[in-house]
Amino acid sequence: GSAALVALGVLALLRHLLRDGLLTAGARESVRSTAPAARRAKGPRRWVTALQARELRLLSRDRAFLVQTLVLPVVILGSQFVFNMRLTSDMVSDVRHLGAAAFAVMAYALLFSTFQTLSAEGHALWLLFTFPRPLDALLREKARLWSVVALVFPSAVFAIGLAAAPRRGWDAAGIAALVLAGVPIYATIGTCLGVLGWDPLAQDQRRRIRPG
């Protein structure tokens, strides 16, 4: 009974000391200042895991990472429509061009997110080795999260494109299914390349991702 009381007291003390998180001085943690009230627990998570919720929180704090992941793919695709007006007519007339545009914006979103699976951890990488789960399982959780995030872009492209030309056959459904099915596949490929191309022993943060 005494041991149980001591253990519960230690857990209560640790919960109080770590109520704002374990690290608050990292490169991504210090980008935005968050109020303690915004970091309080809001009940059990049903749709995302603890690691995925952490990734979303870091994404909301790091403006550069947020712009690269969510804004830059839209800007790149939108600039193509501005400078190449023929692209719009091709997408309306041929569903294959619409599928290519949807895949392109999805690929850009995964390029700026999954390639930084480990490099974005920075000095907090050691935390992944302390979780009671294998490292590959944690990486799969990250890949699933970025798959869902990247899935928004091709879905929006197909919705806008098919709304502009509603008379489509089963070929449009087939191409849309092909592109959407490729999202988790390429998210896994991007995560693997991000892991294999990362050098954790590099002293310079900018040299940790191998150009090859």
Side-chain angles (χ1 to χ4, degrees):
S2 300
L5 291 177
V6 171
L8 292 177
V10 171
L11 288 177
L13 177 62
L14 291 176
R15 179 176 298 178
H16 174 73
L17 294 176
L18 302 178
R19 63 189 183 278
D20 294 334
L22 187 61
L23 294 178
T24 57
R28 297 181 65 181
E29 295 284 349
S30 58
V31 175
R32 292 185 181 180
S33 59
T34 56
R39 294 197 292 262
R40 295 175 181 173
K42 298 181 180 180
R45 302 182 183 93
R46 298 181 180 180
W47 302 104
V48 295
T49 63
L51 181 64
Q52 292 172 346
R54 172 178 170 271
E55 286 292 302
L56 293 176
R57 178 173 295 180
L58 293 178
L59 181 64
S60 64
R61 292 180 182 179
D62 194 342
R63 289 189 179 92
F65 190 47
L66 180 65
V67 171
Q68 288 180 356
T69 305
L70 301 181
V71 180
L72 196 56
V74 179
V75 173
I76 293 175
L77 182 63
S79 62
Q80 297 297 322
F81 289 105
V82 173
F83 295 106
N84 188 7
M85 300 302 297
R86 184 180 177 182
L87 182 62
T88 305
S89 60
D90 291 340
M91 290 178 56
V92 174
S93 59
D94 195 344
V95 70
R96 293 176 298 177
H97 292 89
L98 182 64
F103 179 83
V105 68
M106 178 267 293
Y108 273 113
L110 294 177
L111 177 65
F112 295 117
S113 59
T114 56
F115 274 26
Q116 304 183 36
T117 301
L118 289 183
S119 62
E121 295 291 337
H123 299 293
L125 177 65
W126 63 272
L127 286 174
L128 298 182
F129 294 93
T130 63
F131 295 155
R133 297 192 60 190
L135 184 60
D136 58 328
L138 301 178
L139 295 176
R140 284 195 295 269
E141 285 188 11
K142 289 192 173 188
R144 286 194 294 268
L145 172 64
W146 296 121
S147 298
V148 175
V149 173
L151 193 64
V152 176
F153 297 101
S155 301
V157 172
F158 276 113
I160 296 174
L162 295 179
R167 295 182 179 179
R168 298 291 188 183
W170 289 105
D171 55 343
I175 292 178
L178 182 63
V179 174
L180 297 180
V183 173
I185 297 175
Y186 280 88
T188 305
I189 294 175
T191 302
C192 295
L193 292 177
V195 172
L196 295 176
W198 186 66
D199 184 11
L201 300 179
Q203 298 297 327
D204 190 356
Q205 183 74 19
R206 296 170 296 180
R207 298 178 179 270
R208 289 188 175 182
I209 299 180
R210 300 185 184 95

